[in-house]
Amino acid sequence: MKFFIDTANIDQIKEANDLGVLDGVTTNPSLMAKEGISGEDNIKAHYVKICNIVDGDVSAEVIATDFEGMVREGEILAALHPNIVVKVPVTKDGIKAIKYFSSKGIKTNCTLVFSPGQALLAAKAGATYVSPFIGRLDDIASDGVELIYQIVDLYSTYGYETQVLAASIRHTQHIIQCAEAGADVSTCPLDAILGLLKHPLTDLGLEKFLSDYRKLNP
Ligand code: E4P
């Protein structure tokens, strides 16, 4: 499973990238706003900055909601850097735009996916990635991880090449569950990735190894 980081924060992207296990980045308009990035030129420059840090796909979301607008914006975003993936919401115009981008060889990430039917349409349109939002489903007392199982199963039945990118991951256990469900990618907050390292027996074991060493090597 690939690991993406779900943030527009440069320090966090650098920290995750320095671990050596980062495969890409996802952003969205809320995450960009959280970093105070505004204005067309600043937004574009921020995407380029991210692409220059991470050697992997970087999702940049369109703001337009109509087909023509999405195509216009997406083409500008895709021209910024070869690693840019145009992120498009799963609406009627969004699906048309994904189909258009895929016919032009532009990579896409179909976002705001909450059902297997939406994921099927994304794959039919040729999306590179589909992003089911598991945390937001859990928030409304639904089962986000179950959706990952359903989409992975459907895609494997029909041989779709669209990669399942588990999104809206809230904690470390979600990452494990998505890996078990067969997600191709998990996009996660930095804390959730670092949480994978944590185990009290690792800390205790390391402490013991070091204290035993120090006894003979004062
Ligand atoms: C996916 O690409 C989105 O950026 C994301 O995972 C949204 O998650 P949230 O529910 O934490 O906002």
Side-chain angles (χ1 to χ4, degrees), residues 39-77:
E40 219 178 289
D41 289 345
N42 291 336
I43 290 173
K44 285 195 274 187
H46 199 75
Y47 288 138
V48 172
K49 201 168 179 181
I50 295 174
C51 288
N52 288 334
I53 299 170
V54 180
D55 184 19
D57 284 349
V58 174
S59 288
E61 189 158 341
V62 296
I63 302 298
T65 54
D66 62 300
F67 172 74
E68 287 79 14
M70 286 176 176
V71 165
R72 207 170 29 248
E73 264 184 55
E75 285 181 332
I76 292 171
L77 290 170

Side-chain angles (χ1 to χ4, degrees), residues 6 26 28 31 87 133 136 167-168 170:
D6 193 28
T26 51
N28 64 41
L31 293 171
K87 205 173 181 189
F133 277 35
R136 293 193 196 186
S168 186
R170 296 280 160 75

Side-chain angles (χ1 to χ4, degrees), residues 4-7 25-31 59 61 87 109-112 114 131-137 139 165-170 187-189:
F4 287 5
I5 187 166
D6 193 28
T7 185
V25 181
T26 51
T27 64
N28 64 41
S30 305
L31 293 171
S59 288
E61 189 158 341
K87 205 173 181 189
N109 175 353
C110 184
T111 190
L112 288 168
F114 293 94
S131 286
F133 277 35
I134 67 167
R136 293 193 196 186
L137 278 171
D139 288 346
L165 193 170
S168 186
I169 282 182
R170 296 280 160 75
T187 189
C188 326

Side-chain angles (χ1 to χ4, degrees), residues 127-147:
T128 314
Y129 297 102
V130 65
S131 286
F133 277 35
I134 67 167
R136 293 193 196 186
L137 278 171
D138 289 359
D139 288 346
I140 58 158
S142 193
D143 188 342
V145 172
E146 178 55 27
L147 178 60

Side-chain angles (χ1 to χ4, degrees), residues 42-209:
N42 291 336
I43 290 173
K44 285 195 274 187
H46 199 75
Y47 288 138
V48 172
K49 201 168 179 181
I50 295 174
C51 288
N52 288 334
I53 299 170
V54 180
D55 184 19
D57 284 349
V58 174
S59 288
E61 189 158 341
V62 296
I63 302 298
T65 54
D66 62 300
F67 172 74
E68 287 79 14
M70 286 176 176
V71 165
R72 207 170 29 248
E73 264 184 55
E75 285 181 332
I76 292 171
L77 290 170
L80 291 175
H81 193 281
N83 291 354
I84 289 282
V85 175
V86 181
K87 205 173 181 189
V88 180
V90 64
T91 58
K92 219 159 138 188
D93 285 51
I95 290 295
K96 275 171 67 182
I98 289 169
K99 180 77 191 176
Y100 170 86
F101 289 131
S102 85
S103 76
K104 299 279 172 199
I106 293 174
K107 289 180 281 185
T108 52
N109 175 353
C110 184
T111 190
L112 288 168
V113 166
F114 293 94
S115 75
Q118 292 174 324
L120 267 181
L121 283 179
K124 289 281 291 176
T128 314
Y129 297 102
V130 65
S131 286
F133 277 35
I134 67 167
R136 293 193 196 186
L137 278 171
D138 289 359
D139 288 346
I140 58 158
S142 193
D143 188 342
V145 172
E146 178 55 27
L147 178 60
I148 303 294
Y149 276 100
Q150 287 177 302
I151 299 173
V152 166
D153 191 39
L154 277 172
Y155 282 11
S156 127
T157 300
Y158 292 102
Y160 289 127
E161 285 175 12
T162 301
Q163 296 180 56
V164 181
L165 193 170
S168 186
I169 282 182
R170 296 280 160 75
H171 47 73
T172 301
Q173 191 56 17
H174 265 159
I175 304 178
I176 304 297
Q177 290 168 328
C178 289
E180 285 171 347
D184 298 287
V185 189
S186 279
T187 189
C188 326
L190 180 62
D191 283 354
I193 299 174
L194 296 178
L196 291 166
L197 288 167
K198 288 187 192 150
H199 198 288
L201 291 180
T202 304
D203 297 339
L204 282 173
L206 187 59
E207 214 173 281
K208 175 89 170 80
F209 286 156

